[in-house]
Amino acid sequence: MHSRIVAHKQSQTTSLANEFLTISEAAAFAGKTRSNISYLIQYNRLNKYNPNGERIERATSGELRISRTELLDYLRKSQERINRRMKELSITNTELSFAEVPERIRTKHVHRLHPYLGKFIPQLVEYFLSRYFKAGQVVVDPFCGSGTTLVQASEMGINSVGMDISEFNVLISRVKIASYDLKLAEKEISEITARTVAFSEANFDQEMEMLALKERSYLENESDYLNAWFAKRSLKELLFFKSLIPEYKYQDLLKVLLSRTARSCRLTYHYELANPSKPIREPYPCYKHKGKICRPVTSILPRLKFYGRDTLRRISEFSKLRARDTTALVFEADSRIFDLEKGVDGVMGEGWFRRKIEEVGAGVFTSPPYVGQIDYHEQHRYAYELFGLRRRDSFEIGRKSLGKGEKAREEYIDGISNVLINVRKYLLPPKSVWFIVANDNLSLYPKIFDRAGLVVRRVFHRPVEDRTERDKGPYSESIFLLD
Ligand SMILES: C[S@@+](CC[C@H](N)C(=O)[O-])C[C@H]1O[C@@H](n2cnc3c(N)ncnc32)[C@H](O)[C@@H]1O
């Protein structure tokens, strides 16, 4: 009798343990990261349970569980949503949707060092580079953005050259492709973080009120934007951290870490991080948290610590994967007029670029900005203001402020064809292979290719699924293979 009760209890415990998973178990089960699962809990996509299967509001340490059934249901519904989209878009070739690639692989290593609206997923780049390029060749991306092509090429032993008009995008790319002494990077990140924590604790009380903070010039700023978008304590912490950066070797890495932190510490609604509409200082009912009352961030410290660890993990993962003896270069430049050969040879030595093209081969893989869609400067305004970077909005092709009207389209066609004509001077198809990724719903590309003297050899189509936050319209992307 006693042993039957024990056996019954054991099987009850086992079935509870099967149904109610820890975050790590759920992540392994769903092929996601722990932070993906935490995100789903945080945003009420999944309920919280204790190990006995009882719903809870708050979990004590080690207690939190989530339901396997609910997780499966969530995964099934999101798959159905993707399938619906593919149908809406009449796309039958599912290979290029990469829908089944888990989030943690889509955002692997340095690809998620900093948010950037409008990047493509690394698997898409990998798919084409592995089929059309060979190790040792050169791939050029005249709209390199956050550096996805350059990172992926570096992983595959392909040399790469990127250009972008935005100083901040170039900074992100440069930080992703750089090599680091990991011990030193770790030391620098922990030390600068500890110094910022000490500064903050010494100068602010529990209520986040400023104590007798001696006014120091580096803690002052005249940016109305920063004063409006950050709580006083957050802003002083950001400015303090920034003032320390010149003391360290990996200054760009620290800037990207600080910028990532700043981005998520703006006084904005949780659900508007990608496109904040107005600064908010009061608690608010949160769309993302199903009406829960959320509060704007008042100190950067928790996020700074988290992103610091995350940054180290990501650069360390990438350092193990990147191919040896592979060059990756990035230039802040207007790709309509940039002298590619001179720029590259200036870094690599006279004749390097030509030799590579002629002896090993080179090509293009790029995704141009689209007309009137994304503002590539404004999306990182916090970084421009914080670091005093130079904005070159008026050189941005297809910039959002011009809209999508007839005049904007004409200017866009001009801009993109001029980039292609400029790059074509060095990389002449069919000897060089060219790929252009675009969501050409306005059918502008036939005219662009015509002007640039490029001929479409083949078009691949892929559905693009959920983008960030509420920007969720389904659309299809074309990948043009050109001669
Ligand atoms: C679609 S995004 C590229 C995203 C990139 N594939 C990635 O994964 O991060 C287009 C990029 O073109 C850049 N751009 C716009 N006008 C430019 C110009 N005249 N010269 C160089 N880059 C430009 C923008 O700053 C933006 O970063």
Side-chain angles (χ1 to χ4, degrees):
M1 177 69 184
H2 175 70
S3 65
R4 271 228 312 273
I5 292 172
V6 172
H8 175 68
K9 279 208 164 135
Q10 266 170 356
S11 83
Q12 249 185 346
T13 316
T14 318
S15 63
L16 275 174
N18 273 339
E19 172 60 17
F20 295 100
L21 309 174
T22 61
I23 295 192
S24 301
E25 288 165 346
F29 176 69
K32 302 213 172 266
T33 59
R34 278 174 50 88
S35 42
N36 293 150
I37 301 291
S38 304
Y39 179 90
L40 294 175
I41 299 171
Q42 195 190 357
Y43 290 103
N44 286 326
R45 306 289 191 271
L46 298 172
N47 291 311
K48 293 181 198 155
Y49 293 89
N50 67 17
N52 298 325
E54 292 152 355
R55 280 277 299 273
I56 51 173
E57 281 305 315
R58 259 170 208 286
T60 55
S61 166
E63 188 197 36
L64 181 62
R65 298 288 183 276
I66 59 158
S67 150
R68 181 194 291 262
T69 311
E70 283 179 11
L71 178 60
L72 271 171
D73 192 47
Y74 172 82
L75 295 172
R76 184 180 49 76
K77 283 190 179 138
S78 59
Q79 188 55 49
E80 281 171 6
R81 213 175 48 239
I82 292 164
N83 294 346
R84 257 197 322 275
R85 277 205 182 136
M86 309 262 267
K87 218 163 147 203
E88 277 163 30
L89 299 164
S90 313
I91 290 175
T92 45
N93 174 4
T94 56
E95 195 179 20
L96 291 177
S97 84
F98 304 104
E100 69 302 333
V101 178
E103 172 79 1
R104 87 191 133 75
I105 309 290
R106 287 163 168 251
T107 56
K108 58 185 176 172
H109 52 74
V110 292
H111 289 296
R112 190 172 268 179
L113 265 192
H114 195 288
Y116 169 98
L117 204 62
K119 66 172 162 234
F120 38 42
I121 66 167
Q123 284 70 28
L124 178 70
V125 187
E126 190 175 12
Y127 181 95
F128 287 99
L129 292 191
S130 64
R131 283 164 177 76
Y132 294 88
F133 284 77
K134 286 204 239 17
Q137 292 187 326
V138 184
V139 60
V140 174
D141 185 347
F143 301 107
C144 74
S146 63
T148 315
T149 304
L150 316 186
V151 170
Q152 207 45 49
S154 302
E155 210 178 301
M156 302 169 81
I158 299 164
N159 301 298
S160 56
V161 183
M163 296 91 93
D164 203 282
I165 196 69
S166 141
E167 187 175 357
F168 184 68
N169 296 350
V170 170
L171 175 72
I172 305 182
S173 294
R174 205 164 53 224
V175 164
K176 286 182 178 175
I177 57 181
S179 298
Y180 299 95
D181 168 344
L182 294 171
K183 281 222 166 75
L184 181 60
E186 180 171 10
K187 181 172 172 288
E188 295 199 344
I189 288 181
S190 341
E191 189 182 300
I192 196 168
T193 304
R195 289 171 74 185
T196 308
V197 171
F199 158 81
S200 183
E201 287 174 356
N203 289 295
F204 289 86
D205 67 15
Q206 292 297 320
E207 270 69 55
M208 308 287 177
E209 287 305 320
M210 199 160 61
L211 300 172
L213 181 64
K214 281 200 203 77
E215 286 308 329
R216 285 167 266 193
S217 59
Y218 57 83
L219 294 176
E220 286 307 300
N221 84 93
E222 280 164 17
S223 157
D224 291 342
Y225 174 90
L226 294 179
N227 285 318
W229 281 94
F230 291 95
K232 190 162 196 166
R233 179 172 179 169
S234 302
L235 184 54
K236 295 290 179 204
E237 291 164 346
L238 290 169
L239 294 170
F240 181 78
F241 184 112
K242 181 189 145 197
S243 75
L244 301 179
I245 292 178
E247 297 178 30
Y248 293 94
K249 177 171 176 197
Y250 294 132
Q251 298 184 14
D252 287 346
L253 182 69
L254 296 175
K255 279 188 187 168
V256 166
L257 165 60
L258 188 63
S259 166
R260 185 179 176 193
T261 307
R263 181 184 182 276
S264 57
C265 293
R266 285 168 300 171
L267 292 170
T268 178
Y269 301 113
H270 278 137
Y271 51 87
E272 281 192 352
L273 264 182
N275 278 311
S277 54
K278 60 173 196 281
I280 43 129
R281 289 181 182 266
E282 300 303 322
Y284 59 93
C286 186
Y287 157 81
K288 212 162 184 175
H289 294 111
K290 289 197 179 152
K292 208 171 97 182
I293 300 298
C294 288
R295 282 164 205 287
V297 177
T298 45
S299 164
I300 69 164
L301 299 182
R303 281 169 179 80
L304 178 63
K305 291 180 201 167
F306 175 79
Y307 291 143
R309 289 192 296 273
D310 188 68
T311 297
L312 283 167
R313 179 175 65 75
R314 290 178 183 281
I315 58 172
S316 145
E317 266 174 36
F318 184 54
S319 74
K320 291 180 204 128
L321 295 173
R322 60 183 310 146
R324 283 164 187 267
D325 303 327
T326 301
T327 298
L329 302 176
V330 58
F331 298 93
E332 183 193 334
D334 182 341
S335 296
R336 289 171 287 201
I337 51 167
F338 181 60
D339 188 331
L340 195 49
E341 183 169 3
K342 200 164 156 203
V344 173
D345 284 0
V347 183
M348 301 305 293
E350 190 70 25
W352 188 92
F353 193 50
R354 212 35 73 199
R355 252 194 330 275
K356 284 281 173 198
I357 298 175
E358 276 156 23
E359 292 170 15
V360 204
V364 174
F365 194 93
T366 194
S367 68
Y370 210 55
V371 60
Q373 202 145 301
I374 295 180
D375 193 325
Y376 289 98
H377 280 80
E378 191 61 22
Q379 67 163 297
H380 300 301
R381 174 136 180 216
Y382 49 94
Y384 279 89
E385 299 272 348
L386 187 59
F387 299 117
L389 305 177
R390 178 172 53 135
R391 286 182 70 139
R392 297 215 285 166
D393 299 59
S394 60
F395 295 88
E396 215 184 87
I397 301 171
R399 64 192 169 283
K400 197 170 178 181
S401 59
L402 296 185
K404 297 182 183 189
E406 204 50 49
K407 196 163 167 284
R409 290 182 204 186
E410 272 313 312
E411 204 176 290
Y412 176 82
I413 291 174
D414 246 15
I416 301 288
S417 16
N418 285 338
V419 171
L420 304 188
I421 291 167
N422 184 29
V423 177
R424 196 173 167 273
K425 286 200 297 234
Y426 312 95
L427 305 171
L428 205 61
K431 210 170 157 225
S432 298
V433 65
W434 279 62
F435 286 98
I436 309 271
V437 181
N439 160 22
D440 192 20
N441 56 359
L442 298 173
S443 302
L444 306 179
Y445 274 78
K447 204 163 177 185
I448 291 174
F449 295 143
D450 200 38
R451 271 203 204 167
L454 294 161
V455 178
V456 178
R457 193 196 317 163
R458 188 172 166 191
V459 189
F460 302 80
H461 296 281
R462 67 178 294 264
V464 178
E465 32 148 337
D466 276 1
R467 311 297 276 185
T468 50
E469 301 172 8
R470 296 166 105 177
D471 167 24
K472 284 186 172 175
Y475 65 94
S476 124
E477 214 167 53
S478 304
I479 298 114
F480 299 98
L481 169 57
L482 304 163
D483 273 349

